[in-house]
Amino acid sequence: MIQPVLGFIATIAFAIIYNVPKQALIPAGIIGAGALMIRHWAEQFGLNPVAGVFMGAFFVSVSSEVLARIQKLPGTVFIVSGILMLVPGMSALNTMRAFVQADYATGIANATQTLLMAGGVAAGLVLAGALVRMDRRKQRVAQGQTDD
Amino acid sequence: MDTNFHLPTIVKICLKAGALMLKNGAETARVEETIERIGRSCGAHSVYSFVTPTGIFISVTADEGHLTRMYRIGEGLQTDLTKVARINSVSRQFESGKITVQQVWEQLLAIEKAEPEYPNWLRQIAAALSGGVFTLLFQGGMGDFLPGAFCAALSNYLMEVFDRRMPRFLAVFFAALAGTSLAMLTVSAGIGKNFYQISLGALIPLVPGLAITNAVRDLMANDLLSGVARSAEAMLTAFAIAVAVALVFALKIGGLLQ
């Protein structure tokens, strides 16, 4: 039960570092806590950590775009701090530890895991973003530019 | 829609809005969209903009003819997403005709001069808090909270100090070096227990979160040049952190400083 509270606090702390507007602080914190819980549950459920961060990033992106429309703020405002909950920090540290100990096999394994998790975060963002933005993109393409 | 504005004025306003957004952490597509929105609302026939993380090129056509300008974005940026949100809403108000061009210009200048949304001390405390909380999130003990918070505050503060004086990657390198070294010292001194958790707390304010997010969003929006440039920035920052960490881990594991 302590995990979501920690995620909430950490996300709000990052939001303050990035100077996120005051009205977006609490929603951003909830998004961060949600992302952390999804990642946690996915792992408890026996899913690969990559799948966990992918689902977390997907959640962050979708809920951020929805909130961005409600509060009329840029989506980035909600995404940047929430996504930091999913950064594979421990996995990256373990990679460096293994390499420094000249345990290259473990190092490569950890590095692969770290890269896959980073890719999972990116993929979650991309997929959700692409789905949410489809209508807007169509508008912009149709509008075009009058050249002269 | 008022169309009595001189071309140089339109271009000036577009560039100011775009540069401010880019410097404060907006993604490329949003900057281009805002420039286009403001330019068209001023009565320009066409507004083409090409935005990269290091410069803005815009080309505007109006009744008077055609004008192309470029603007170089320097280093030493501070992320302030509140400013991005404010410029975004100014451009939308202007488009819907609620404010005049003069008001847009005045508001842009006011936003440029405005203090960051949160005072510096609060951002330092937030950095410390994020570091401390991350030690707990990754199964550190309660005793690791304070060392983690202190190391995070140190590395965040040093990054801000160094960022003005040297390239971003070097600043991150030295900040990570200092933060991880302090983590090692606190463990040696018996103040903290879990070295790896405290290191993680020390490094978390340095993670290039905004660069990663914007890189992904730029690539997704087909802004390939900006996307690749921002990915390179994020990769180099991550690499700088990794080298600093490897250095301190080598000392720790080599038994030089127990």
Side-chain angles (χ1 to χ4, degrees):
Chain A
M1 212 32 236
I2 186 101
Q3 285 247 345
V5 178
L6 291 178
F8 183 77
I9 297 172
T11 312
I12 289 188
F14 281 118
I16 289 175
I17 296 174
Y18 288 130
N19 285 303
V20 160
K22 288 191 183 75
Q23 84 226 57
L25 279 186
I26 304 288
I30 294 170
I31 291 176
L36 200 70
M37 286 325 288
I38 289 175
R39 176 191 185 170
H40 187 70
W41 284 327
E43 273 173 50
Q44 295 227 311
F45 203 67
L47 284 173
N48 190 298
V50 179
V53 291
F54 170 82
M55 282 154 54
F58 188 85
F59 166 78
V60 168
S61 191
V62 169
S63 49
S64 296
E65 294 286 354
V66 171
L67 272 168
R69 279 162 197 223
I70 295 172
Q71 294 207 342
K72 295 202 164 54
L73 287 171
T76 321
V77 157
F78 301 98
I79 295 179
V80 281
S81 35
I83 215 73
L84 274 162
M85 296 301 105
L86 306 168
V87 169
M90 212 59 205
S91 168
L93 273 187
N94 286 335
T95 306
M96 291 323 291
R97 170 163 56 173
F99 278 131
V100 167
Q101 286 172 318
D103 187 355
Y104 297 115
T106 314
I108 296 283
N110 282 330
T112 313
Q113 163 109 6
T114 310
L115 276 178
L116 279 175
M117 281 173 80
V121 174
L125 267 181
V126 167
L127 191 66
L131 290 177
V132 174
R133 279 154 173 244
M134 263 197 302
D135 59 325
R136 189 149 38 122
R137 190 181 155 78
K138 210 165 118 193
Q139 260 176 21
R140 275 194 88 192
V141 171
Q143 208 176 26
Q145 290 258 8
T146 53
D147 215 348
D148 50 359
Chain B
M1 192 187 288
D2 200 338
T3 53
N4 297 325
F5 295 105
H6 289 301
L7 195 50
T9 316
I10 304 177
V11 172
K12 191 172 80 173
I13 293 177
C14 289
L15 272 183
K16 175 67 84 182
L20 273 179
M21 286 187 103
L22 200 58
K23 279 180 186 171
N24 284 300
E27 73 270 24
T28 306
R30 184 174 305 282
V31 178
E32 289 182 350
E33 199 189 312
T34 306
I35 289 174
E36 198 187 311
R37 182 177 289 143
I38 293 180
R40 284 177 164 264
S41 307
C42 283
H45 301 309
S46 75
V47 184
Y48 287 108
S49 64
F50 182 62
V51 174
T52 76
T54 48
I56 299 177
F57 307 79
I58 69 172
S59 181
V60 179
T61 310
D63 289 338
E64 301 155 68
H66 183 90
L67 189 62
T68 302
R69 291 268 301 271
M70 81 152 292
Y71 186 95
R72 181 76 167 86
I73 305 287
E75 282 182 74
L77 320 171
Q78 190 182 29
T79 307
D80 191 334
L81 293 174
T82 301
K83 289 186 178 179
V84 173
R86 281 176 65 190
I87 297 168
N88 203 43
S89 87
V90 166
S91 84
R92 280 175 202 276
Q93 281 173 9
F94 181 46
E95 189 183 33
S96 58
K98 283 179 196 143
I99 53 175
T100 65
V101 170
Q102 185 59 33
Q103 281 173 312
V104 171
W105 181 248
E106 278 161 11
Q107 290 205 23
L108 287 179
L109 291 183
I111 293 170
E112 186 179 28
K113 284 203 196 83
E115 291 289 308
E117 181 73 355
Y118 304 102
N120 191 39
W121 61 265
L122 185 59
R123 289 201 308 278
Q124 302 296 344
I125 288 177
L129 195 62
S130 69
V133 169
F134 255 83
T135 62
L136 299 182
L137 268 176
F138 285 90
Q139 276 87 46
M142 283 313 279
D144 298 329
F145 179 85
L146 277 180
F150 197 67
C151 295
L154 177 77
S155 56
N156 186 57
Y157 177 71
L158 284 181
M159 187 175 73
E160 283 178 14
V161 170
F162 290 150
D163 204 19
R164 284 180 231 130
R165 295 175 173 80
M166 54 178 87
R168 167 71 49 92
F169 320 113
L170 272 179
V172 169
F173 171 77
F174 286 124
L177 196 64
T180 326
S181 305
L182 185 67
M184 187 164 69
L185 289 179
T186 55
V187 176
S188 306
I191 303 166
K193 273 210 185 71
N194 302 299
F195 172 59
Y196 294 102
Q197 275 77 2
I198 297 173
S199 313
L200 189 69
L203 298 171
I204 208 77
L206 306 177
V207 170
L210 189 74
I212 295 170
T213 314
N214 277 340
V216 172
R217 301 192 92 196
D218 282 353
L219 287 171
M220 182 170 75
N222 237 357
D223 290 316
L224 300 180
L225 191 71
S226 303
V228 171
R230 281 186 161 137
S231 314
E233 186 196 359
M235 292 281 282
L236 278 171
T237 310
F239 187 69
I241 298 176
V243 173
V245 169
L247 216 65
V248 179
F249 279 18
L251 286 176
K252 167 94 177 159
I253 290 159
L256 267 171
L257 287 158
Q258 277 298 322

